[in-house]
Amino acid sequence: MKNIRIKDIALKAKVSTGTVDRVLHDRGNVSEKVREKILKIIEEMNYEPNFMARALGTKKVYHFAALIGDPGVDGYWNDPKTGIEKAAREARQYGVEVSLFIFNPYDADSFVKKAEEVTAANPDGILLAPMFYREVIPFFQIWKEQEIPFVLFNTQIPEFDPLSYIGQDSYQSGMVAGKLIHFGNPQPPSILVAHIDEEISNSAHLTKKEQGLRNYFAQNNLNHHYEIIKAELNRSNYAKFVEQLDTIFEGNPQIQFCFVTTSKAHEIAKYFEQKFITHIKIIGYDLIPQNLYYLNKGLISFLINQNPLGQGYWGINQLIDHLVFKKEISAVKFLPLDIVTKENLNYYIDESMLYNRL
Amino acid sequence: MKNIRIKDIALKAKVSTGTVDRVLHDRGNVSEKVREKILKIIEEMNYEPNFMARALGTKKVYHFAALIGDPGVDGYWNDPKTGIEKAAREARQYGVEVSLFIFNPYDADSFVKKAEEVTAANPDGILLAPMFYREVIPFFQIWKEQEIPFVLFNTQIPEFDPLSYIGQDSYQSGMVAGKLIHFGNPQPPSILVAHIDEEISNSAHLTKKEQGLRNYFAQNNLNHHYEIIKAELNRSNYAKFVEQLDTIFEGNPQIQFCFVTTSKAHEIAKYFEQKFITHIKIIGYDLIPQNLYYLNKGLISFLINQNPLGQGYWGINQLIDHLVFKKEISAVKFLPLDIVTKENLNYYIDESMLYNRL
DNA sequence: TAAATAAATGTGTACGCACACAACTGTCTA
DNA sequence: TAGACAGTTGTGTGCGTACACATTTATTTA
């Protein structure tokens, strides 16, 4: 049997397609009696709209805004940007236009300024990485009032019911790191947790990662058997950065693992390379080129990754599904939490592949 | 500027849309002069067909056949099946119908029988897991003659240029296992490689996995420093199966890791549980419920997985893109080679599956 | 009760493409 | 020179939906 069309419903309800259309879109001007009858038939016949026809017929141009960090400042943002651009390219057919608003990920003021620009542009939908909690809240309220749906990624802020959140689970990724370390050394390990280049007070995700790591050991009843040394480092003064590392590693020769909570694992790897340190294993985040270099060299053991490219891609697609195709979309979309090593790396960096997730 | 339509090209070339259509689809009956002129304009204007309109206009029903293993016989096949069904559901709109042909993955005759049924059904496209090399070749030839495109997944057979291959890289997955083992024990490890329930001569992928493991150590110049004990086991006689395991583990107390090349890691885990063996770490394949059970219990350390659900899903979608949307598709589509552990498991499985019991 | 108004319903067209069919061109033959 | 014919080219319709607009029906007002 063929697909049910509006026409079929109209026929069965002995009304015109226009009336069915009004019911489907809640445009009013339909008597309650007819309305209910039609709704019942829609239910019965299991009508599903044809998205192709729907998209074809509408000439509306959708304007989306994407508010993300500057890849020039932090290479991490290259991937979300690429994903957003790919989604934008694919969606041009449906009259979707995506404008990028790039802020400095280390500067809350820059974020606010760009968020204001987004608001001024009055887009039909917004995708953003709400990195600065305090600063973003007022914008959520404005967008709510203006009924502009927004999708979050990278950082979760559930309190202001966004249209959707594209998952990135910092806490759980810390647990994964714990598992890897534990697997790598069943004996009580000694771990350096390095927060590099980000203010910990400002970035909840760093703390969450550390918490995840700690809780891995706690939950596995290993809490008395490990040592975690915590360091906040900053490369702005490189000499001092190296000096700090010297102090840490010379003072703690027992350290076996280094868990870097930002995308700066390559800095530790570089340091190890220069100092000929080979016995400490590094676990870090994000498949940025510098990290991949040291992953391939064997200085970094694992990179943990939650598909930032896919986050951008699916973020835009959530908006498209909602606004263009008027589909129901899920409030949270989690992407796989990948453990990437030299050996499976190839399957994570081929760009085309990153979208092949369900 | 809006998207370029056939009409725009026709206008510019001072011909009708029909002529442009004939050129686009190589239907002939166009003078060479006009043909070239139109082709040039198409190039210049950067025409991209509107897939929605294209799919909407055609009322053709596409009949696809999917030839896969029986999930009842080997639970592994549940995932590809689910993926195929999901793709089929999504594509019903475009007039795509997918029929499943289920064979016994341990029985070549059953495969042949079902492949014959597929041929008899004369589908527009075929997705299959060509498990039995020798048996599948004649069918490739038949389908080639009948010009039925086929997409392979699960097992790669490049020689007969399928429309596309959905990647699954057994060799590389063995390398990943090697990496994990090496990370878990930097000292020369002692490893049991267990091939369970499949005839090794019949299934190239088992050998490839083992090769990958061995080559990891070889490539890292560790080849003299490890020990690999190989075992082919079969559960058909369960008492004997246990007896064999007894012999292996009692005779080789030095074994620290067990690498199971099939989806039967849970059998080893069950054995360890019964025998209170806790010091040997298991690495296996596939997120089937039995494996997940022991992964969560901590008896299995890692499961390696190349998204079988996605393989089914993207396999069908390759056929759809090719036949329905007439897009160019890639000859090989690789899916990420995932390392799954208790800690990131949630992000790899459908939630509903979490509640599955043994 | 006719006219005015509001509410409910029906009709027609565009979206971009594919394809069937109609119409035109020029050449060759009887 | 009309007719046949192959080689070209043009036209029209349907796909399912959204939406503007036209039409009908019911209700109120003068």
Side-chain angles (χ1 to χ4, degrees), chain B residues 180-196:
Chain B
L180 291 171
I181 289 169
H182 185 209
F183 184 80
N185 188 358
Q187 312 308 320
S190 190
I191 309 162
L192 171 70
V193 177
H195 304 289
I196 302 179

CSV table of all heavy atoms in Angstrom, one decimal, chain B residues 180-196:
chain,number,residue,atom,x,y,z
B,180,LEU,N,46.1,-2.2,23.2
B,180,LEU,CA,45.5,-2.2,24.5
B,180,LEU,C,46.3,-3.2,25.5
B,180,LEU,O,46.6,-2.9,26.6
B,180,LEU,CB,44.1,-2.7,24.4
B,180,LEU,CG,43.1,-1.6,23.8
B,180,LEU,CD1,41.8,-2.2,23.5
B,180,LEU,CD2,43.0,-0.4,24.7
B,181,ILE,N,46.6,-4.3,24.9
B,181,ILE,CA,47.4,-5.3,25.7
B,181,ILE,C,48.7,-4.8,26.1
B,181,ILE,O,49.2,-4.9,27.3
B,181,ILE,CB,47.5,-6.7,25.0
B,181,ILE,CG1,46.1,-7.3,24.9
B,181,ILE,CG2,48.6,-7.6,25.6
B,181,ILE,CD1,46.1,-8.5,24.0
B,182,HIS,N,49.4,-4.2,25.2
B,182,HIS,CA,50.7,-3.6,25.4
B,182,HIS,C,50.6,-2.5,26.5
B,182,HIS,O,51.4,-2.4,27.4
B,182,HIS,CB,51.3,-3.1,24.1
B,182,HIS,CG,52.7,-2.5,24.3
B,182,HIS,ND1,53.2,-1.6,23.5
B,182,HIS,CD2,53.7,-2.9,25.1
B,182,HIS,CE1,54.4,-1.3,23.9
B,182,HIS,NE2,54.8,-2.1,24.9
B,183,PHE,N,49.6,-1.7,26.4
B,183,PHE,CA,49.4,-0.6,27.4
B,183,PHE,C,49.1,-1.2,28.7
B,183,PHE,O,49.5,-0.7,29.8
B,183,PHE,CB,48.2,0.2,26.9
B,183,PHE,CG,48.0,1.4,27.8
B,183,PHE,CD1,48.7,2.6,27.7
B,183,PHE,CD2,46.9,1.4,28.8
B,183,PHE,CE1,48.5,3.7,28.5
B,183,PHE,CE2,46.7,2.5,29.6
B,183,PHE,CZ,47.5,3.6,29.5
B,184,GLY,N,48.3,-2.3,28.7
B,184,GLY,CA,48.0,-3.0,30.0
B,184,GLY,C,49.1,-3.7,30.6
B,184,GLY,O,49.1,-3.9,31.8
B,185,ASN,N,50.1,-4.0,29.8
B,185,ASN,CA,51.3,-4.6,30.4
B,185,ASN,C,52.5,-4.4,29.6
B,185,ASN,O,52.8,-5.1,28.6
B,185,ASN,CB,51.0,-6.2,30.5
B,185,ASN,CG,52.2,-6.8,31.2
B,185,ASN,OD1,53.1,-6.2,31.6
B,185,ASN,ND2,52.0,-8.1,31.4
B,186,PRO,N,53.3,-3.4,29.9
B,186,PRO,CA,54.4,-3.0,29.2
B,186,PRO,C,55.5,-4.1,29.2
B,186,PRO,O,56.3,-4.2,28.3
B,186,PRO,CB,55.0,-1.8,29.9
B,186,PRO,CG,53.8,-1.3,30.7
B,186,PRO,CD,53.0,-2.5,31.1
B,187,GLN,N,55.4,-5.0,30.2
B,187,GLN,CA,56.3,-6.1,30.2
B,187,GLN,C,55.9,-7.1,29.1
B,187,GLN,O,54.8,-7.1,28.7
B,187,GLN,CB,56.3,-6.8,31.5
B,187,GLN,CG,56.4,-5.9,32.7
B,187,GLN,CD,57.6,-5.0,32.6
B,187,GLN,OE1,58.7,-5.4,32.2
B,187,GLN,NE2,57.4,-3.7,33.0
B,188,PRO,N,56.8,-8.0,28.6
B,188,PRO,CA,56.4,-9.0,27.6
B,188,PRO,C,55.2,-9.7,28.1
B,188,PRO,O,55.2,-10.4,29.1
B,188,PRO,CB,57.7,-9.9,27.6
B,188,PRO,CG,58.8,-9.0,28.0
B,188,PRO,CD,58.2,-8.0,29.0
B,189,PRO,N,54.1,-9.6,27.4
B,189,PRO,CA,52.9,-10.3,27.8
B,189,PRO,C,52.7,-11.7,27.3
B,189,PRO,O,53.4,-12.0,26.3
B,189,PRO,CB,51.8,-9.4,27.2
B,189,PRO,CG,52.4,-8.8,26.0
B,189,PRO,CD,53.9,-8.8,26.2
B,190,SER,N,51.9,-12.4,27.9
B,190,SER,CA,51.5,-13.7,27.5
B,190,SER,C,50.0,-13.7,27.1
B,190,SER,O,49.2,-13.4,28.0
B,190,SER,CB,51.9,-14.7,28.6
B,190,SER,OG,51.8,-16.0,28.1
B,191,ILE,N,49.7,-14.1,25.9
B,191,ILE,CA,48.4,-13.9,25.4
B,191,ILE,C,47.8,-15.1,24.9
B,191,ILE,O,48.4,-15.9,24.1
B,191,ILE,CB,48.4,-12.8,24.3
B,191,ILE,CG1,49.1,-11.6,24.7
B,191,ILE,CG2,46.9,-12.5,23.9
B,191,ILE,CD1,49.5,-10.7,23.5
B,192,LEU,N,46.5,-15.4,25.3
B,192,LEU,CA,45.8,-16.5,24.6
B,192,LEU,C,44.9,-15.8,23.5
B,192,LEU,O,44.1,-15.0,23.8
B,192,LEU,CB,44.9,-17.2,25.6
B,192,LEU,CG,43.9,-18.2,25.0
B,192,LEU,CD1,44.6,-19.4,24.4
B,192,LEU,CD2,42.9,-18.6,26.0
B,193,VAL,N,45.1,-16.3,22.3
B,193,VAL,CA,44.2,-15.9,21.2
B,193,VAL,C,43.1,-17.0,21.1
B,193,VAL,O,43.5,-18.1,20.7
B,193,VAL,CB,44.9,-15.7,19.9
B,193,VAL,CG1,43.9,-15.3,18.8
B,193,VAL,CG2,45.9,-14.5,20.1
B,194,ALA,N,41.9,-16.7,21.3
B,194,ALA,CA,40.9,-17.8,21.2
B,194,ALA,C,39.9,-17.5,20.1
B,194,ALA,O,39.3,-16.5,20.0
B,194,ALA,CB,40.1,-17.8,22.6
B,195,HIS,N,39.9,-18.5,19.2
B,195,HIS,CA,38.9,-18.4,18.1
B,195,HIS,C,37.8,-19.4,18.5
B,195,HIS,O,37.9,-20.6,18.5
B,195,HIS,CB,39.5,-18.9,16.8
B,195,HIS,CG,40.7,-18.1,16.4
B,195,HIS,ND1,40.7,-16.8,15.9
B,195,HIS,CD2,42.0,-18.5,16.3
B,195,HIS,CE1,41.9,-16.4,15.6
B,195,HIS,NE2,42.8,-17.4,15.9
B,196,ILE,N,36.6,-18.8,18.8
B,196,ILE,CA,35.5,-19.7,19.3
B,196,ILE,C,34.4,-19.8,18.3
B,196,ILE,O,33.9,-18.8,17.8
B,196,ILE,CB,35.0,-19.1,20.7
B,196,ILE,CG1,36.2,-19.0,21.7
B,196,ILE,CG2,33.9,-19.9,21.2
B,196,ILE,CD1,35.8,-18.4,23.0
